[in-house]
Amino acid sequence: MPTSALTRYTKPLAPTRRLVCFPHAGGAASFYRDWRRCAPPEVELIAVQYPGRENRVREPLVATMEELATALAEELLALPPLPTVFFGHSMGAAVAHETLLRVERSGATHVTRLCVSGRAPRRSPRTSARTDEEVVAAVLALGGTHATVFEDPELRELLLPIIANDYRLIDAYRPAAGTPLLRAAVHALTGADDPQVTPEEAGQWRAVTSGRFALTVLDGDHFYLVPEAERVARAALDPELHLPV
């Protein structure tokens, strides 16, 4: 039986709100572990664990966005409904968006906000798959993994297939034509010096919702949210965040 995709980092006895976090390519649920320090006592903090890593290491990797988002939506819809925010960084922003589309398609209305970080809503297509060396170069260019990880043969053998699979998945992903607008509000966040997305491109998330939209630009590069973890987590968790129309 597959392990749950949902890792709970806080377990309130009577939660009143929920934050669900989606990792970047090659990332894992543990990327969001420390956010529990910022969570109010009534908030249930959940991080998504994609197959093939950490406690799901023995499960096969998922090859398509359709398969991944559909499975996550089904598991999330099985939870007791609470006012919920989705937060996704980089690849996780696209996964969170696609998952929310499926949640809303089911008729559920309890996900009230989508926070998308470090990614534009649409990307130029790649015409060929990346080689292993191109994957390593892409990861290092974004600062996500230190070079010594790939210099260690055992770590490289363990991590590279996971990261390469995620890059294939997100490189092949294209939002479907005619995708409906979200009802949930959208808050886009990005680093001012992110080489992967400009603030203007992050602002294009405004077009995916019929609800409210906000854009926040913080100092830093693609992984701006690591040094700014507390500020970003509190923004996602803040029920009083007033988003301009």
Side-chain angles (χ1 to χ4, degrees):
M1 181 177 179
T3 303
S4 172
L6 308 180
T7 299
R8 286 173 172 80
Y9 284 123
T10 61
K11 300 179 181 180
L13 292 177
T16 60
R17 293 186 288 137
R18 179 181 293 132
L19 174 62
V20 181
C21 299
F22 297 72
H24 53 281
S30 59
F31 183 75
Y32 295 105
R33 180 188 295 124
D34 288 346
W35 283 29
R36 59 191 169 188
R37 299 174 184 171
C38 307
E42 74 278 6
V43 171
E44 181 180 54
L45 174 62
I46 293 176
V48 168
Q49 191 75 282
Y50 305 138
R53 62 212 80 193
E54 293 188 341
N55 62 318
R56 302 186 72 189
V57 68
R58 297 187 182 278
E59 297 181 35
L61 299 169
V62 174
T64 67
M65 179 68 77
E66 172 70 25
E67 182 182 356
L68 180 59
T70 298
L72 292 174
E74 289 176 355
E75 189 163 357
L76 287 163
L77 283 166
L79 299 177
L82 291 172
T84 298
V85 172
F86 283 1
F87 180 97
H89 179 64
S90 198
M91 182 184 89
V95 179
H97 179 215
E98 287 290 336
T99 301
L100 182 51
L101 285 168
R102 288 157 176 76
V103 168
E104 289 197 347
R105 191 181 303 153
S106 76
T109 60
H110 61 281
V111 181
T112 60
R113 191 192 319 157
L114 170 67
C115 295
V116 283
S117 168
R119 183 176 173 83
R122 295 185 180 274
R123 299 278 298 277
S124 299
R126 281 189 64 91
T127 57
S128 61
R130 300 175 198 251
T131 65
D132 284 351
E133 293 309 316
E134 287 174 330
V135 170
V136 172
V139 172
L140 296 181
L142 295 177
T145 303
H146 194 274
T148 54
V149 170
F150 294 113
E151 291 170 0
D152 184 310
E154 291 185 1
L155 285 175
R156 180 186 174 103
E157 183 179 1
L158 175 66
L159 294 176
L160 187 54
I162 297 169
I163 300 170
N165 177 82
D166 288 355
Y167 269 84
R168 283 192 296 272
L169 183 155
I170 199 62
D171 283 344
Y173 164 68
R174 298 293 173 271
T179 298
L181 295 178
L182 294 173
R183 295 186 296 271
V186 173
H187 185 183
L189 304 96
T190 194
D193 300 315
D194 189 335
Q196 188 164 279
V197 54
T198 66
E200 292 74 20
E201 289 170 329
Q204 294 169 8
W205 283 102
R206 181 187 301 274
V208 309
T209 180
S210 61
R212 294 176 296 168
F213 175 80
L215 172 65
T216 298
V217 181
L218 299 173
D219 291 340
D221 56 17
H222 188 65
F223 282 93
Y224 75 94
L225 73 170
V226 174
E228 293 281 7
E230 182 173 354
R231 185 175 177 185
V232 175
R234 292 192 185 281
L237 287 163
D238 185 358
E240 303 302 326
L241 181 65
H242 298 294
L243 302 179
V245 175

